[in-house]
Amino acid sequence: MKKEWFLYTIAFLMDGCMAVVGLCVPLVALQLGATYDDLGMIGAVGAAIYSLSCLFSGRLADRFGYRYVMACATLLVGFVYVGYLFVGHIWHLVLLAGLMGVSIAHFWPPLQAWLGRGKSRQHLLKDLGRFNVAWSLGFVIGPMVGGIMFETQPSSAFLLGIVLMAVMFFAFVFLHIHERDDVLPNEAIDAMPLARLFLPMAFVANFATFFSIGTVRSLFPKLATDLGIAPGILGGLMALIGLAQLTAFYFMSRTDRWQFKRMPLILAQVLACVGLLLLALGKHPVVFALGLLMVGVLAGITFTVSIFYSLFTQGPGGRRTGFHEAIVGSGFLFGPLLGGVVGEHLGARAPYGLAVVVIVGAVIIQGLMRTELREDAVIETGV
């Protein structure tokens, strides 16, 4: 099987499975009498340990091989799913969230590094676009499947996860995967140092993005409920984030005109600030829909920029993809935590103002960053 399509498939299966279980875990916690603090603790522990583990998992994969580290990760995730079948207390869920954070941190950075290894600029752009669409589809489909399975039989979602992890483990061990590295032209090699220069800027933007996304995903449902928005409409609104993200992934993979330029990244963040202000000030679902679409577009753009610059550099990519994923996890950690505190003390709309402040701060930091080459010089060289 061709490496790229193998990785697209397992990315879809893993994120779909995580979305199925991710919907069911809070429902199990509520059955055990969990409070909002308990739910926050479960999410915070998982995000924190994931972020910390990603800082080391990429280097581990560079040393011992992407395929073998990912195989071990699927095995560990399967054992975590087994643990969910025997949960009896809230602290069990907190412990399992931490174990899941460690396990999944050894899956995504190696996958991204393996996908990008030996790629030319154009092939990397197309392959990343397909990869982003694959895992996003899993995230869109998974919650719907999880809801149906939990209503039918609560344990069925975890049993499905166990089976899928077993299938993926055996695929890693026994499936023959065809690999072919591109022959990189001299201009591509010359451009790689530029990717290192733009990478810190992309990391800063990505943190602000997922700080905002984490805030919106965690806290907007409460604001919408307080305003009397029906659950069906709320579900459709939240789906707009994923739809906009998918659309951005597609268009980002169709052109390279955004590469090695500041302005497209800055404009995307400004657009998201407008969207967050719509969430902070709006009252009608149509206004909220526009805001959520703008935030989703930002996620698709900054994620693509960050992972592209992480991989389009010389040397093993595991360390850089690990840092990329650690930043995503840290955004998901600090966004809901700080947004929840602000919302508790300053009002339900204050978290979106905080997200605007974080993005504006990120834009200022990016503006202060200096690249060693002027962007117009980069354009003239055709890089």
Side-chain angles (χ1 to χ4, degrees):
M1 186 176 186
K2 191 176 179 181
K3 178 187 78 172
E4 289 76 16
W5 289 102
F6 172 72
L7 294 180
Y8 303 152
T9 302
I10 64 166
F12 168 77
L13 291 176
M14 179 60 84
D15 230 5
C17 192
M18 294 294 293
V20 169
V21 174
L23 179 72
C24 295
V25 168
L27 298 177
V28 171
L30 291 173
Q31 289 180 342
L32 295 173
T35 65
Y36 284 112
D37 289 338
D38 293 328
L39 294 175
M41 178 63 69
I42 293 169
V45 167
I49 295 182
Y50 176 78
S51 297
L52 292 173
S53 299
C54 282
L55 296 175
F56 306 100
S57 63
R59 298 187 183 191
L60 185 71
D62 284 338
R63 181 174 181 180
F64 294 103
Y66 306 126
R67 180 170 182 164
Y68 301 109
V69 171
M70 292 171 68
C72 293
T74 58
L75 192 62
L76 291 173
V77 172
F79 282 124
V80 173
Y81 289 158
V82 171
Y84 282 122
L85 297 175
F86 301 98
V87 165
H89 301 280
I90 298 298
W91 69 266
H92 291 166
L93 293 174
V94 175
L95 175 62
L96 289 171
L99 294 175
M100 180 61 76
V102 173
S103 303
I104 203 67
H106 289 79
F107 181 86
W108 290 115
L111 187 154
Q112 294 164 355
W114 191 11
L115 177 66
R117 186 174 66 184
K119 295 290 182 185
S120 67
R121 182 177 170 186
Q122 291 302 320
H123 284 170
L124 177 60
L125 183 61
K126 291 179 181 179
D127 290 345
L128 285 178
R130 292 168 181 160
F131 161 71
N132 288 334
V133 168
W135 68 258
S136 296
L137 284 175
F139 189 78
V140 171
I141 295 172
M144 295 184 291
V145 175
I148 295 172
M149 297 186 75
F150 193 86
E151 286 186 2
T152 305
Q153 173 55 253
S155 63
S156 62
F158 304 118
L159 292 172
L160 173 65
I162 294 169
V163 171
L164 287 178
M165 291 306 108
V167 170
M168 292 169 66
F169 173 77
F170 285 111
F172 276 118
V173 173
F174 295 109
L175 190 64
H176 181 65
I177 302 172
H178 300 281
E179 292 194 60
R180 182 181 66 83
D181 292 346
D182 294 337
V183 177
L184 301 181
N186 290 333
E187 58 268 23
I189 297 174
D190 292 340
M192 287 181 176
L194 286 174
R196 285 185 177 273
L197 296 175
F198 280 86
L199 183 57
M201 187 186 308
F203 281 162
V204 171
N206 217 28
F207 172 80
T209 294
F210 285 94
F211 182 99
S212 303
I213 290 289
T215 300
V216 171
R217 288 194 181 279
S218 298
L219 303 178
F220 180 74
K222 178 171 175 54
L223 172 62
T225 302
D226 292 342
L227 292 174
I229 295 176
I233 297 177
L234 173 60
L237 287 172
M238 297 303 290
L240 291 176
I241 299 176
L243 179 62
Q245 185 173 284
L246 266 173
T247 304
F249 283 150
Y250 173 78
F251 283 106
M252 290 288 284
S253 69
R254 305 297 293 180
T255 179
D256 61 0
R257 296 181 66 180
W258 53 267
Q259 293 174 4
F260 309 109
K261 300 175 184 177
R262 292 178 200 260
M263 196 50 62
L265 191 58
I266 299 296
L267 290 177
Q269 293 168 89
V270 172
L271 178 68
C273 286
V274 175
L276 289 165
L277 289 175
L278 291 178
L279 298 182
L281 302 174
K283 295 181 180 180
H284 195 277
V286 174
V287 176
F288 291 142
L290 291 174
L292 293 169
L293 284 170
M294 293 178 186
V295 173
V297 168
L298 176 68
I301 291 174
T302 61
F303 188 92
T304 299
V305 171
S306 178
I307 192 61
F308 175 83
Y309 291 144
S310 295
L311 292 173
F312 192 65
T313 52
Q314 292 175 314
R319 180 177 63 85
R320 294 183 297 276
T321 57
F323 200 76
H324 159 84
E325 284 295 315
I327 288 173
V328 171
S330 65
F332 277 130
L333 169 64
F334 290 110
L337 281 180
L338 297 181
V341 172
V342 170
E344 185 70 25
H345 292 89
L346 299 179
R349 297 177 182 271
Y352 313 108
L354 173 64
V356 170
V357 171
V358 171
I359 292 180
V360 170
V363 170
I364 292 173
I365 292 173
Q366 294 162 62
L368 295 175
M369 290 179 174
R370 293 288 183 262
T371 55
E372 295 179 7
L373 296 176
R374 287 170 51 86
E375 290 174 15
D376 54 356
V378 174
I379 297 172
E380 289 173 5
T381 60
V383 175

